């Protein structure tokens, strides 16, 4: 799949990842990081009201640190990563006591932690945790609309009818639950949600909506929202990638050809919009200035593109591999910090267009960058 010079670049990046993660993992071993403050990992196991951070241990990204540890364990065989992964997985148990704090993001939280642990070590406690999380996710299914409810109410905002494209990354927890238990209910819910997402989120040009509101009593689309992107009808790039890679995962778990075709359609739209620079904006339809960007979208897209390349014929493969290489090389060459000055790898992640902070370190940027690089090598621990 790769030319000799690409292989050389790849092994150099793997060396840099293993060097960096070797010391960062030990420095942050008792934390669950989300971002960096003055180069140092923060800790989302605790609330920080001064920073408007009140989700504490329920914060949706709290599975990625554990996931990074499992990826590193798989790549290096070093047992220290397994021990560190177990620390954050244990911390997440507190979430089960705080029912209100959990949304549909239980997939993001327990796939890279408990499911990973169970897949690698067979730990019974991890399986139990992941099955609890899968049941919570299944319980959010709305039968009339055929969708999984995203968030609990946001202040005054009634979100009973809200689904968001990111959920395509939570439903693999349901596929896993069926694969593990033999009970088809979980997969039925996941496929129904994916089918609804195919028709309600994916636009004819291959771009996707972030938020769709359904009538929670009778079904049917009520409204769409721009969500974390620029505006309604725009094209939030991370949302495009949750869809691209998300439909690919649904294809991998179910074999349903329509999911593959949808993933390819979204991928073609994404590839056509990659700028010459390889730098991905927060929204493909944002104004030219300010030139806000989101490195995390590039990393997630690369993972999805590599997965598509694995299943298409030899004539098609190169389109996806070359696009993934462009994204990853750009990240390595101009959007990474390989020094000891910072605990993060990727710089210039952005959580949302209208948030006040842009161009920060974000843990899932690092997670998906590492996942994409190991995927390219052919040594992916498939956690989704
Ligand atoms: N799942 C929320 C986000 O991507 O920011």
């Amino acid at each position: 799949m790769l030319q000799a010079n690409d292989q050389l670049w790849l092994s150099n990046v793997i060396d840099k990842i293993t060097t960096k993660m070797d010391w960062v993992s030990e420095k942050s071993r008792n934390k669950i990081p989300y971002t960096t403050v003055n180069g140092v990992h923060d800790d989302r196991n605790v609330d920080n009201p001064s920073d408007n951070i009140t989700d504490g241990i329920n914060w949706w990204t709290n599975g990625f640190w554990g996931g990074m540890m499992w990826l590193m364990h798989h790549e290096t065989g070093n047992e220290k990563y397994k021990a560190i992964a177990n620390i954050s997985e244990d911390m997440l148990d507190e979430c089960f006591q705080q029912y209100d704090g959990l949304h549909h993001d239980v997939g993001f939280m327990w796939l890279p932690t408990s499911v990973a642990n169970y897949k690698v070590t067979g730990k019974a406690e991890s399986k139990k945790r992941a099955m609890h999380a899968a049941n919570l996710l299944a319980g959010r299914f709305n039968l009339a609309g055929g969708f999984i409810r995203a968030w609990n109410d946001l202040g005054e905002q009634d979100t009973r009818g809200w689904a968001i494209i990111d959920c395509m990354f939570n439903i693999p927890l349901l596929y896993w639950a069926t694969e593990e238990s033999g009970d088809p209910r979980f997969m039925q819910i996941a496929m129904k949600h994916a089918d609804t997402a195919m028709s309600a989120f994916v636009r004819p040009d291959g771009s996707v909506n972030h938020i769709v509101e359904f009538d929670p009593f009778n079904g049917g689309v009520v409204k769409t929202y721009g969500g974390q992107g620029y505006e309604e009808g725009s094209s939030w790039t991370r949302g495009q990638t949750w869809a691209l890679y998300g439909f690919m995962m649904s294809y991998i778990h179910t074999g349903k050809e329509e999911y593959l075709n949808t993933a390819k359609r979204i991928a073609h739209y994404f590839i056509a919009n990659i700028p010459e620079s390889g730098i991905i904006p927060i929204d493909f339809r944002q104004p030219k200035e300010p030139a806000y960007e989101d490195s995390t979208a590039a990393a997630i897209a690369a993972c999805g593109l590599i997965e598509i390349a694995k299943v298409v014929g030899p004539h098609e493969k190169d389109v996806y591999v070359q696009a993934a290489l462009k994204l990853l090389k750009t990240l390595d060459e101009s959007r990474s910090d390989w020094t000891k000055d910072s605990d993060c790898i990727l710089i210039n992640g952005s959580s949302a267009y209208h948030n006040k902070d842009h161009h920060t370190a974000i843990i899932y940027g690092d997670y998906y960058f590492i996942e994409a690089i190991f995927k390219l090598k052919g040594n992916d621990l498939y956690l989704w």
Side-chain angles (χ1 to χ4, degrees), residues 117 134 188:
N117 198 346
Q188 287 163 354

Side-chain angles (χ1 to χ4, degrees), residues 60 104-105 108 151 164 166 210 228 236 238 242 351 364:
W60 76 276
H104 69 149
D105 288 321
F108 279 115
W151 298 308
I164 68 173
D166 324 30
H210 182 201
Q228 286 161 252
W236 176 46
R238 196 163 63 255
W242 292 139
S351 57
Y364 46 83

Side-chain angles (χ1 to χ4, degrees), residues 101-327:
L102 290 177
H103 309 263
H104 69 149
D105 288 321
V106 291
F108 279 115
M109 295 169 77
W110 277 280
L111 278 160
T113 50
S114 297
V115 174
N117 198 346
Y118 178 64
K119 278 183 182 168
V120 176
T121 70
K123 188 173 168 181
E125 185 63 23
S126 296
K127 177 180 172 182
K128 221 186 294 174
R129 289 163 167 157
M131 287 306 291
H132 270 308
N135 276 286
L136 286 172
L137 186 57
R140 300 184 74 84
F141 184 66
N142 180 302
L143 189 59
F147 67 92
I148 292 173
R149 179 178 175 179
W151 298 308
N152 304 331
D153 285 345
L154 304 166
E156 296 289 288
Q157 179 76 58
D158 174 357
T159 60
R160 285 175 294 179
W162 284 28
I164 68 173
I165 194 63
D166 324 30
C167 194
M168 291 304 297
F169 247 76
N170 286 316
I171 60 175
L173 181 63
L174 300 177
Y175 294 131
W176 170 82
T178 285
E179 286 153 11
E180 194 50 45
S181 67
D183 184 336
R185 288 175 303 138
F186 303 101
M187 184 175 277
Q188 287 163 354
I189 290 173
M191 291 182 76
K192 186 67 200 167
H193 179 87
D195 292 347
T196 303
M198 254 191 319
S199 62
F201 283 79
V202 186
R203 306 179 185 127
D205 67 355
S207 68
V208 300
N209 288 305
H210 182 201
I211 301 173
V212 176
E213 181 175 356
F214 299 89
D215 178 334
F217 298 100
N218 305 303
V221 174
V222 173
K223 200 172 166 188
T224 63
Y225 299 84
Q228 286 161 252
Y230 178 60
E231 63 182 4
E232 195 195 342
S234 69
S235 176
W236 176 46
T237 52
R238 196 163 63 255
Q240 316 306 296
T241 70
W242 292 139
L244 188 169
Y245 191 9
F247 277 105
M248 199 50 209
M249 291 185 302
S250 277
Y251 171 68
I252 291 167
H253 285 283
T254 66
K256 186 167 167 170
E257 208 70 25
E258 268 179 281
Y259 296 152
L260 173 61
N261 292 334
T262 303
K264 285 168 74 175
R265 193 146 62 85
I266 300 163
H268 297 162
Y269 165 82
F270 195 96
I271 292 169
N273 280 281
I274 298 175
E276 191 50 44
S277 65
I279 305 282
I280 300 301
I282 299 179
D283 193 311
F284 282 133
R285 295 172 189 165
Q286 72 188 32
K288 274 204 163 44
E289 295 294 335
Y292 290 145
E293 55 184 88
D294 181 16
S295 57
T296 72
I300 302 161
C303 290
L305 293 167
I306 299 166
E307 285 300 330
I308 297 177
K310 285 187 200 168
V311 302
V312 295
H315 304 303
E316 283 183 79
K317 246 182 227 320
D318 213 39
V319 174
Y320 302 104
V321 173
Q322 290 310 320
L325 277 174
K326 177 163 181 123
L327 295 171

Side-chain angles (χ1 to χ4, degrees), residues 62-90:
N62 279 354
F64 288 110
W65 175 247
M68 282 163 69
M69 297 302 109
W70 285 114
L71 294 181
M72 294 312 301
H73 175 260
H74 184 70
E75 170 67 17
T76 65
N78 190 327
E79 291 292 304
K80 79 173 174 186
Y81 292 114
K82 190 201 282 187
I84 301 171
N86 272 287
I87 296 172
S88 63
E89 184 186 340
D90 289 348

